[in-house]
């Protein structure tokens, strides 16, 4: 079993890498080779029984993935992407990384007849947008309102068509907002969703720019990684007529998140959250869909978090 | 008012050209220049007051549209495409013509800052697919089951994003099955829908490969041309958050089509239709969505045919 991870130096890539090394197998086969691709060399944990190729590659360069695909990976986790704000700031960069590199990856597999290779790609709840219904389901139209969402949606179609034609075996998982991310607050509009929990747990102040009743559709990093792994293991026959679908996040709202924080870390932690409405962030977050019926993912065996408290408990256990 | 038509030598391109020349104006401005683009030189009717450029261009060639876009068209009707069967037979050709050429057109407009140029593109009911509800609406997901539908859907997203960013003013119309097309029966699965009317009206036999109760979502050539013109004239502000939508076709079924044929041309015309179920065509046609709530198009002022008899009457009047 040879696995390729693009974006291997990133947050999800690193977590996935550790998970794969610790589970030692995928799809019932022992993992013998891992190929890691990112702009910079990915950090590599100790893995005595696995041959690891670690390639710093600009995936937007012509034929960048030739050498990597010549090794004929059985499973590809395609996580490399530029984030929403970067894709919005630079259309050409977003198209090159988020769309053209995915197309080149598909073409590279097609050229090498890797039609049994399972390609698991991360798409995003950002592919949704427009005049959405209160509760979305598997047949809700994608009407992305960002270039990032547009590029992800285009990749979904391309992967579906290449899969339908038998050129690759693709699976595209639309990820909910990931909470709790590690690190520091950043410019992303979603930054607060992790920050209002992470900073108070670390004894620091955080700013909440949205109302207490703001709903969010979230998934913990652990469940996302489990979903990626499961995405590789699902049988092709079960995937039906379209290869992309939303993962079973949970719907929560800010008040519930803070109540869970209080249960875990006490009222003094909640008191570290300052409420400062932000007219720039509020409408953006309000436009994100928060309620889904995830019938397809459920049927395929994907599992989300039980409740929001479990998400905090897992973070605390990991970072203690 | 300078108008560019790609695919100007095709069925819709030619009809649109005649319509524009006879109406002499678009968006309240006199038409002074027309640029026609196709693989071969388009036929050009007499139009004394209009300067017509007629360019045989391979739109898949690098920079193929540079000269054409240097003339800074105010409105572009982008109709050039390879059809469904050709895109299915040759993935590279379909991607080159249906997707890459559209992207190049958008980039050409962006480079020349043609951000006020109205781009009207023809998409298709073929962009829908998968496990569809009985009645589709403006928020039904696209899950195309052909490469043609995939490529059209990707163009929809790209045009929407370029419009959202203010780089172009795009409008994408998903066309119903066009009935009655002129010409002869061909290999397309939809060929019968025109053939079972056109041939009997001409005193010839036709074959109906699908059951009498097969439903279809159709629009006459005249109404499609009216919709393209209206697509250029709709105010940008009215288009909302997504630039692509289905046109208001009418839902009919084969028995109703033949009943309309009887009313117009008598029982002897209907008797010229032989019913020969075709196991290859039947499931294809059955998978096409036939019932839509076209709220967005209706609200924007697009108008479909009144009933099926009107479609036949118009064909007879034109070909008498």
């Amino acid at each position: 079993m040879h696995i390729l991870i693009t974006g291997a130096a990133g947050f999800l890539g690193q977590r996935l890498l550790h998970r794969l090394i610790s589970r030692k197998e995928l799809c019932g086969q022992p993992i013998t080779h891992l190929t890691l691709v990112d702009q910079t060399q990915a950090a590599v944990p100790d893995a005595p029984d696995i041959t690891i190729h670690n390639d710093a590659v600009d995936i937007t360069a012509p034929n960048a993935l030739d050498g990597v695909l010549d090794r004929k990976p059985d499973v590809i986790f395609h996580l490399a992407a530029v984030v929403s704000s970067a894709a919005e700031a630079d259309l050409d960069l977003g198209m090159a990384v988020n769309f053209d590199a995915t197309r080149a990856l598909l073409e590279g597999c097609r050229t090498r007849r890797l039609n049994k290779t399972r390609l698991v790609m991360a798409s995003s709840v950002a592919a949704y947008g427009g005049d959405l219904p209160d509760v979305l389901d598997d047949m809700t139209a994608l009407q992305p309102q960002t270039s990032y969402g547009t590029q992800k949606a285009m990749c979904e179609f391309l992967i579906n068509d290449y899969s339908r034609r038998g050129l690759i075996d693709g699976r595209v998982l639309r990820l909910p907002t990931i909470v709790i991310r590690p690190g520091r607050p950043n410019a992303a509009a979603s930054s607060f969703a992790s920050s209002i929990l992470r900073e108070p747990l670390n004894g620091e102040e955080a700013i909440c720019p949205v109302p207490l009743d703001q709903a969010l559709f979230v998934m913990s990093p652990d469940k996302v990684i489990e979903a990626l792994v499961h995405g590789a293991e699902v049988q092709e026959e079960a995937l039906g007529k379209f290869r992309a679908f939303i993962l079973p996040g949970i719907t929560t709202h800010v008040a519930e998140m803070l109540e869970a924080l209080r249960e875990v870390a006490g009222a003094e932690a909640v008191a570290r959250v300052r409420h400062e409405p932000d007219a720039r962030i509020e409408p953006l977050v309000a436009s994100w869909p928060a309620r889904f019926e995830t019938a397809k993912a459920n049927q395929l065996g994907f599992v989300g978090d039980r409740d929001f408290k479990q998400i905090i408990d897992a973070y605390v256990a990991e970072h203690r």
Side-chain angles (χ1 to χ4, degrees), chain A:
Chain A
M1 169 62 60
H2 180 174
I3 302 170
L4 163 62
I5 305 176
T6 75
F11 163 52
L12 289 180
Q14 282 287 302
R15 285 186 86 106
L16 177 63
L17 174 61
H18 282 84
R19 182 72 60 96
L20 292 172
I21 288 174
S22 73
R23 83 199 301 274
K24 296 191 173 64
E25 61 87 27
L26 188 69
C27 307
Q29 305 286 326
I31 299 170
T32 54
H33 294 76
L34 277 165
T35 296
L36 311 179
V37 164
D38 211 314
Q39 295 176 340
T40 55
Q41 290 237 326
V44 181
D46 201 34
D49 299 330
I50 303 179
T51 305
I52 299 184
H53 304 275
N54 196 3
D55 295 327
V57 170
D58 173 5
I59 59 169
T60 66
N63 307 312
L65 294 169
D66 276 7
V68 165
L69 294 176
D70 282 344
R71 293 176 200 142
K72 298 188 187 303
D74 302 294
V75 173
I76 301 172
F77 291 99
H78 180 40
L79 307 177
V82 299
V83 298
S84 188
S85 51
E88 201 61 25
D90 186 339
L91 177 59
D92 295 321
L93 177 69
M95 286 296 289
V97 176
N98 294 348
F99 179 71
D100 290 320
T102 302
R103 184 174 175 185
L105 180 62
L106 290 169
E107 277 297 296
C109 290
R110 178 187 179 198
T111 306
R112 289 166 185 79
R113 301 183 184 283
L114 303 182
N115 54 314
K116 296 294 181 197
T117 292
R118 293 184 174 180
L119 170 66
V120 183
M121 177 171 146
S123 181
S124 167
V125 70
Y128 294 98
D131 298 316
L132 290 167
D134 287 341
V135 180
L136 286 70
D137 64 28
D138 291 315
M139 285 309 292
T140 303
L142 303 182
Q143 300 191 343
Q145 301 298 309
T146 60
S147 291
Y148 176 80
T150 299
Q151 291 147 12
K152 288 291 185 184
M154 287 167 53
C155 290
E156 290 190 8
F157 283 122
L158 207 55
I159 290 173
N160 191 62
D161 200 45
Y162 274 63
S163 298
R164 188 188 59 82
R165 296 182 77 110
L167 302 172
I168 188 87
D169 178 359
R171 300 97 192 279
V172 186
L173 314 182
R174 294 182 196 133
L175 308 189
T177 298
I178 301 178
V179 173
I180 303 171
R181 283 181 174 270
R184 303 295 303 165
N186 61 36
S190 62
S191 175
F192 80 91
S194 289
S195 182
I196 61 171
L197 305 163
R198 184 185 59 220
E199 269 63 87
L201 287 168
N202 293 333
E204 299 174 27
E205 285 208 336
I207 292 168
C208 181
V210 302
L212 284 170
D213 62 355
Q214 175 63 55
L216 289 167
F217 191 67
V218 302
M219 193 175 234
S220 66
D222 266 2
K223 292 297 179 191
V224 169
I225 298 302
E226 277 177 29
L228 289 169
V229 169
H230 187 64
E233 296 196 323
V234 167
Q235 292 302 306
E236 183 169 23
E237 303 73 54
L239 291 165
K241 290 180 179 164
F242 200 70
R243 298 300 186 102
F245 46 87
I246 183 86
L247 289 181
I250 55 173
T251 300
T252 185
H253 56 277
V254 172
E256 186 185 56
M257 295 164 75
L258 295 178
E259 173 57 24
L261 176 63
R262 194 191 59 73
E263 283 179 45
V264 173
E268 66 275 23
V270 176
R272 292 185 194 112
V273 178
R274 288 211 320 270
H275 293 270
E276 296 183 2
D278 184 319
R280 194 184 52 85
I281 292 177
E282 227 175 289
L284 268 175
V285 177
S287 76
W288 300 342
R291 290 177 183 80
F292 287 86
E293 280 180 17
T294 62
K296 181 158 184 173
N298 299 351
Q299 194 188 331
L300 290 169
F302 290 89
V303 177
D305 300 283
R306 197 178 58 231
D307 54 35
F308 202 81
K309 181 157 177 303
Q310 188 187 38
I311 293 181
I312 299 190
D313 286 339
Y315 180 86
V316 169
E318 183 181 334
H319 291 84
R320 184 169 284 143

